[in-house]
Amino acid sequence: MTATATKTPPPAAPRVGKPQTRRVRFTPAVVLLVIAAALILVSAVRAVTGANDVTSAGQIAGALSSAVPIGLAGLAGLWSERAGVVNIGLEGMMILGTFFGAWVGWQTNPWLAVLVGVLGGAAGGLVHAIVTVTFGVDHIIAGVAMNILATGVTAYLAKKLFTGGQAAEKGGTPKQSPPMDDIKHFTVPGLSHWLSTIEKHHWFLISDLAGIVGGFVTHISSLTLLAIVLFAGTFFVLWRTSFGLRLRSCGENPVAAESLGVNVYTYKYVAVIISGALAGLGGVFLAIQTHFYLAGQTGGRGYIGLAAMIFGNWRPGGLAMGAGLFGYADSLQLRNGGPSVHALLLLLAVLLLGMAIWKFLRGARIGAAVALAFAVLLSVWYLTTDTVPDEVVQATPYVATLLVMGLSAQRLRMPKADGVPYRKGEGG
């Protein structure tokens, strides 16, 4: 009987090809360093250009107000898509929130308006869930239909509810509700005044920091504070609880989730209804901010919220950054127009130059070339002009968002089953 010798496998050949790059881990220390570098850069741009409004408390407060409805729309999309349902209908759900919130708000008080606006958005979410989850209609088609339906329904109801009787006497029109009261705002006494004093000195970095912090403690809406709580709560619920784990499993692998006893339909319904409620809250925020409902008030913020969600890689932290970016650019063009936007050209040029260097070092030559080309173009534009046309000023938020999203180095990963039709028992 001969013994067969066991052969040891030959050593694996070294892998030849493109070297793998180490992925940067965003630890708290790294995040703090990035924030510090960004603050120094913005301070330097402010000092060079003389555009003192870029870091003023008013600019930051305006950025918060612009970012909140976008952030809430993005948060709504995050809940829905983490459960595997694409929600293009966020714009329509925001419209429902603006209308029903304003309808109740002018007759009662703003907090009741918030409640009814949230319920209006949730009703839109329920319709979307029935159509997509129960009947299996394509998510994109259902979302577009929701936007059209919400626009038509609110236009019809506005003509009926805002053009007669007491509503007409108080300023209601077919496209606008009567005005309603504002919601409570908060200012930290003492601290706000002290920071404002430091900001007025225009010291490098110190005054900029005072202006930024001052924007967070001066005349802040109750709904802004609520939105911050909702962002933190979303992260905790979806990533730190068993409920969140089950819900996310429905967006990753619903068949496997079903095999483990998860009622996939129920979790998808809950997620889409919560999505609609958050979108409705974003809509009613707009109505309270302007004190009335106005046709076309949402201005595409539902779609921008989805873009912010994608920019944030389907996570609350990145989503907040994307919403903040758009809100900052929007506030900049609203508050100071041409001069501040002209300063923004230099800031974007520097950021794109840094992005080009980083991409080049990571081996992304094409991305580096594109970023460098944009940096050169913006630098030439800044050096050869003193201001920018009004049309460019108005488009600044959208252009800034597209540039950052298009050249972002994030490795985006959507939920695997996002938008994929699901039927109970299909994996059996």
Side-chain angles (χ1 to χ4, degrees):
M1 186 174 179
T2 55
T4 57
T6 57
K7 295 182 179 180
T8 57
R15 295 181 67 182
V16 180
K18 189 176 179 180
Q20 290 186 346
T21 55
R22 287 188 65 186
R23 196 173 177 183
V24 179
R25 292 188 64 188
F26 286 96
T27 62
V30 172
V31 172
L32 288 175
L33 285 174
V34 171
I35 292 174
L39 181 59
I40 292 172
L41 176 60
V42 172
S43 300
V45 169
R46 193 266 306 165
V48 169
T49 62
N52 294 319
D53 200 46
V54 295
T55 56
S56 67
Q59 164 64 23
I60 302 304
L64 274 175
S65 296
S66 297
V68 167
I70 296 167
L72 288 171
L75 202 62
L78 186 148
W79 272 88
S80 182
E81 298 206 9
R82 277 295 177 179
V85 180
V86 176
N87 193 354
I88 299 294
L90 291 175
E91 182 78 5
M93 296 170 197
M94 289 187 77
I95 292 172
L96 294 175
T98 60
F99 177 83
F100 287 108
W103 175 52
V104 170
W106 77 266
Q107 301 176 81
T108 56
N109 64 77
W111 282 112
L112 194 56
V114 170
L115 175 60
V116 175
V118 167
L119 292 176
L126 176 60
V127 172
H128 188 65
I130 292 171
V131 171
T132 56
V133 178
T134 301
F135 294 105
V137 175
D138 182 88
H139 298 185
I140 305 300
I141 295 174
V144 172
M146 169 58 66
N147 294 335
I148 296 172
L149 178 65
T151 302
V153 167
T154 53
Y156 172 77
L157 291 176
K159 293 178 181 178
K160 293 291 184 180
L161 300 176
F162 297 151
T163 56
Q166 192 176 10
E169 293 175 4
K170 291 190 175 184
T173 70
K175 293 188 176 182
Q176 180 179 313
S177 71
M180 59 179 170
D181 295 333
D182 201 352
I183 208 161
K184 186 174 178 60
H185 287 69
F186 295 94
T187 296
V188 179
L191 179 60
S192 176
H193 177 72
W194 178 64
L195 291 171
S196 177
T197 303
I198 296 176
E199 179 194 337
K200 291 176 182 177
H201 288 290
H202 303 306
W203 294 327
F204 179 78
L205 195 59
I206 297 175
S207 293
D208 298 292
L209 184 59
I212 292 171
V213 176
F216 284 92
V217 297
T218 305
H219 201 62
I220 297 298
S221 169
S222 305
L223 293 183
T224 300
L225 299 177
L226 177 59
I228 294 172
V229 172
L230 288 172
F231 268 84
T234 292
F235 174 78
F236 177 79
V237 171
L238 292 185
W239 276 271
R240 292 292 184 269
T241 67
S242 58
F243 169 83
L245 178 61
R246 295 188 188 101
L247 187 145
R248 288 187 291 117
S249 71
C250 296
E252 294 291 340
N253 193 333
V255 176
E258 180 191 336
S259 69
L260 295 174
V262 176
N263 190 327
V264 176
Y265 282 171
T266 298
Y267 278 88
K268 285 180 178 287
Y269 261 85
V270 169
V272 179
I273 291 171
I274 291 175
S275 174
L278 289 169
L281 179 60
V284 77
F285 180 92
L286 289 171
I288 291 176
Q289 189 178 40
T290 56
H291 304 295
F292 48 75
Y293 158 82
L294 183 65
Q297 192 169 29
T298 54
R301 286 174 174 83
Y303 301 111
I304 299 168
L306 278 177
M309 179 200 67
I310 296 169
F311 169 81
N313 211 6
W314 287 265
R315 283 183 168 269
L319 161 61
M321 291 176 59
L325 169 69
F326 184 93
Y328 181 84
D330 192 32
S331 176
L332 202 64
Q333 61 95 8
L334 287 174
R335 282 178 53 80
N336 204 17
S340 291
V341 173
H342 187 251
L344 187 63
L345 294 177
L346 180 60
L347 178 61
L348 285 174
V350 175
L351 289 173
L352 288 170
L353 177 61
M355 184 179 291
I357 295 171
W358 187 52
K359 281 181 172 290
F360 180 82
L361 294 176
R362 291 175 63 89
R365 304 299 168 84
I366 296 178
V370 173
L372 181 61
F374 274 111
V376 171
L377 287 173
L378 290 174
S379 299
V380 171
W381 190 357
Y382 172 78
L383 293 173
T384 56
T385 60
D386 294 325
T387 185
V388 291
D390 290 340
E391 294 80 5
V392 176
V393 172
Q394 294 169 6
T396 297
Y398 307 94
V399 173
T401 303
L402 286 173
L403 273 177
V404 174
M405 286 193 64
L407 298 172
S408 174
Q410 291 188 19
R411 297 178 181 179
L412 302 178
R413 181 195 172 279
M414 66 187 295
K416 289 182 180 178
D418 192 16
V420 178
Y422 166 77
R423 281 291 170 268
K424 188 174 182 179
E426 64 181 1

